[in-house]
Amino acid sequence: MTSGGFDFDLLVIGGGSGGVRAARRTAALGHRVAIAEEYRFGGTCVIRGCVPKKLLVYASQFGEQFEDAAGFGWTVGESSFDWAQLIANKDREIDRLEQIYSRNLESAGAELLKSRAVLESAHEVRLLETDKVVTAERILLAAGGRANPFAGLPGAEHCITSNEAFHLKRLPGSIVILGGGYIAVEFANIFHGLGSDVTLVYRGKKILGGFDDDLRDALQEAMTKKGIRILCEDTIVEVAGKADGRFQAKLKGGAVLDADEVMLAIGRQPNTLDLGCEKAGVELDEKGAVKVDAFSKTTADNIWALGDITNRIQLTPVAIHEAMCFVETVFRDRPTQPDLEDIPTAVFSQPEIGTVGMTEAEASKEFAELEIYRTTFRPMRNTLSGRDERTLMKLVVDAASRRVVGAHILGPDAGEVAQILGVCVKGRLTKDVFDRTMALHPTAAEELVTMYEPSYRVRDGKRVDG
Ligand code: NDP
């Protein structure tokens, strides 16, 4: 028992990126910490999200690389792809990472509770595996989110989500994917690269709402050119199973698509169902997310929440950052609010997107005049390979202060470059600093410091040339 008579100083519900970081840091400070996880330690990111996704992205890029090799003098023999081998190797790597997560928790001194945990009151948590109730002075809700199952769609039970996509028995010959966000776009490229016939169905005008329009246009064009069918301003209204084991997706616009798999990628929902929040005085918002204040505190005095369960920004580094702030605030007496401004992000499409800060559209509402520096070019590698794919780079600059308020890239390694552009935007660097920075030659990123004249300006929300 702790001094307050509780079993633990902190009980964390959810062993994903945010929960694990909070548990480890708090345990390392000498507190009695337990962390409950119903599935696998590591959470969505490690087990069925970012990490396995990136491994699949790598796998899906080899086909183009084999083709490109010819321009560099290589003759690549006949190649073939083995989905089962990829999945087995990926699973082995995920097992390894999961063990590291568990080991790190244990070596920090946290107790691992392998059970679903639900709130019974503000200080009591029931472990469903053993039906035991444990008590904690403070509780942290970090149970993450789950793929929206689109319950209202007739035939939704025939569909897969990203969860199942990582464990399919065989590579689908054809797949229809619903959605136009991160997951739909990334998986469309993965399956296409591995050899599936892919159709993306998206209700909006162009994919990746919220990203800079230039990137959206250029990526949609590049994906279409590769052979991914993108059907916009349409949606799936029914999915039916066929006698041959395949599926039929009926679209609102009247088209009927036959496919081996139909995948839903229409957003993720906070994991608050049956968590017992109402018993503990933890209020939810209209979307079922846990309501929190600027310090991640819920409406219950001793309960905090972070990561996807709060539906702020659904990204792993955000959950980890929120966890660090939580520990500072609650266990180190240094109240720290998560800083969710200027978060760099990547979409691992092919070509890749890397972006940070404001889009041109957002910045044009905020600033009276913008300078837009924009370039497109053929990456050097594509000269000999002959691949007809261009890189796009764009800097959005507030003309008055000269500050670079947004940076957007479509092209190889865009995510890697965006991480460092994140430092520049966060550091409020001006375009003059970019201009003074020596180019590193020959790289693609050197274009970011050699665009001396604006491509165009945006004044009072309207584009003016020169
Ligand atoms: P997103 O929110 O990115 O996209 C959801 C998509 O589904 C949108 O295009 C949305 O359309 C569409 N949609 C929503 N509801 C419906 C509906 N009822 N019918 C048809 N279409 C619908 O969600 P994802 O599932 O792609 O990803 C979840 C989150 O995970 C992301 O927001 C991101 O934060 C994170 N993630 C990050 C990755 C990364 O960092 N690389 C990779 C994968 C996920 P509309 O635009 O019209 O609303």
Side-chain angles (χ1 to χ4, degrees):
M1 288 263 180
T2 62
S3 52
F6 297 104
D7 296 328
F8 300 104
D9 299 323
L10 174 69
L11 194 149
V12 180
I13 298 182
S17 303
V20 166
R21 179 59 64 95
R24 276 180 61 191
R25 296 277 290 189
T26 309
L29 292 173
H31 297 283
R32 289 206 57 198
V33 176
I35 177 166
E37 168 57 51
E38 64 179 326
Y39 182 52
R40 296 175 68 181
F41 282 95
T44 300
C45 171
V46 176
I47 306 298
R48 47 191 180 189
C50 325
V51 175
K53 179 274 309 286
K54 189 96 188 260
L55 296 175
L56 264 53
V57 169
Y58 285 131
S60 67
Q61 290 171 334
F62 282 97
E64 286 193 355
Q65 288 168 2
F66 295 151
E67 284 170 20
D68 289 354
F72 294 89
W74 287 89
T75 303
V76 178
E78 205 174 304
S79 60
S80 64
F81 168 69
D82 184 343
W83 170 262
Q85 181 74 58
L86 169 65
I87 297 302
N89 292 350
K90 178 266 293 175
D91 286 345
R92 202 168 330 108
E93 173 60 8
I94 300 308
D95 288 349
R96 188 183 73 84
L97 294 174
E98 184 187 9
Q99 281 168 24
I100 292 174
Y101 266 69
S102 301
R103 247 196 336 266
N104 285 345
L105 279 165
E106 280 163 350
S107 57
E111 190 171 324
L112 275 60
L113 307 170
K114 293 183 181 162
S115 171
R116 177 165 173 77
V118 296
L119 295 164
E120 287 290 334
S121 73
H123 290 285
E124 293 169 305
V125 171
R126 183 177 297 279
L127 303 173
L128 299 190
E129 201 64 35
T130 52
D131 206 32
K132 195 177 145 197
V133 173
V134 291
T135 60
E137 186 175 5
R138 297 178 176 98
I139 293 171
L140 177 65
L141 305 176
R146 67 177 77 198
N148 178 351
F150 204 168
L153 174 72
E157 69 278 10
H158 298 304
C159 301
I160 61 167
T161 65
S162 53
N163 285 352
E164 294 77 29
F166 289 116
H167 295 285
L168 291 174
K169 290 272 176 297
R170 59 191 70 81
L171 176 71
S174 57
I175 185 165
V176 174
I177 302 177
L178 179 64
Y182 283 86
I183 295 179
V185 168
E186 290 182 342
F187 271 95
N189 282 280
I190 288 170
F191 281 119
H192 172 78
L194 295 175
S196 306
D197 180 57
V198 179
T199 306
L200 189 77
V201 180
Y202 174 48
R203 64 183 180 183
K205 274 200 168 61
K206 55 187 172 195
I207 58 171
L208 289 178
F211 285 78
D212 189 86
D213 282 328
D214 262 333
L215 297 182
R216 298 171 70 188
D217 289 330
L219 179 61
Q220 185 153 332
E221 194 187 319
M223 286 171 61
T224 305
K225 212 159 164 185
K226 277 181 204 292
I228 298 172
R229 187 146 64 123
I230 303 179
L231 306 177
C232 288
E233 298 186 89
D234 210 340
T235 191
I236 299 179
V237 289
E238 189 184 342
V239 178
K242 294 185 12 168
D244 62 2
R246 299 177 81 231
F247 302 98
Q248 199 162 65
K250 294 187 182 145
L251 305 196
K252 195 173 176 187
V256 177
L257 307 172
D258 281 1
D260 293 328
E261 300 288 352
V262 179
M263 177 172 168
L264 303 176
I266 57 166
R268 296 177 60 81
Q269 299 172 332
N271 259 335
T272 47
L273 196 66
D274 300 328
L275 192 60
C277 290
E278 66 293 346
K279 294 185 187 169
V282 172
E283 285 177 22
L284 307 181
D285 70 13
E286 64 289 350
K287 289 190 172 150
V290 176
K291 281 191 198 167
V292 286
D293 67 13
F295 294 93
S296 301
K297 191 171 181 177
T298 72
T299 49
D301 240 7
N302 67 313
I303 303 181
W304 284 258
L306 52 81
D308 287 2
I309 200 168
T310 64
N311 204 16
R312 281 175 278 186
I313 295 175
Q314 300 171 340
L315 295 172
T316 298
V318 171
I320 292 173
H321 172 70
E322 288 168 355
M324 304 287 274
C325 294
F326 159 77
V327 176
E328 289 296 303
T329 302
V330 178
F331 290 101
R332 302 190 76 190
D333 208 16
R334 297 178 195 160
T336 310
Q337 296 185 15
D339 173 359
L340 304 181
E341 288 286 305
D342 298 327
I343 298 170
T345 181
V347 182
F348 294 98
S349 46
Q350 295 165 43
E352 191 169 300
I353 280 181
T355 178
V356 61
M358 291 185 206
T359 64
E360 180 182 325
E362 286 166 348
S364 66
K365 290 190 193 114
E366 182 100 7
F367 303 103
E369 183 169 332
L370 300 176
E371 292 174 1
I372 305 294
Y373 296 81
R374 183 186 184 281
T375 179
T376 71
F377 57 93
R378 198 178 192 194
M380 191 189 256
R381 185 188 159 108
N382 288 356
T383 54
L384 294 201
S385 73
R387 185 164 296 285
D388 179 22
E389 208 165 87
R390 297 177 73 78
T391 287
L392 168 75
M393 291 185 177
K394 180 170 173 181
L395 295 177
V396 180
V397 176
D398 165 32
S401 67
R402 304 279 297 141
R403 192 158 67 84
V404 177
V405 295
H408 312 283
I409 303 176
L410 177 78
D413 303 319
E416 302 290 340
V417 181
Q419 175 66 85
I420 296 307
L421 284 172
V423 178
C424 305
V425 172
K426 193 82 197 162
R428 304 174 75 82
L429 298 190
T430 61
K431 179 67 172 54
D432 306 321
V433 180
F434 278 64
D435 292 344
R436 286 204 308 272
T437 302
M438 194 66 77
L440 195 163
H441 187 68
T443 61
E446 69 181 300
E447 296 290 331
L448 291 166
V449 296
T450 52
M451 293 187 280
Y452 298 115
E453 293 298 327
S455 311
Y456 58 92
R457 291 167 190 273
V458 178
R459 218 168 274 145
D460 299 324
K462 290 200 180 58
R463 177 174 167 159
V464 284
D465 288 316

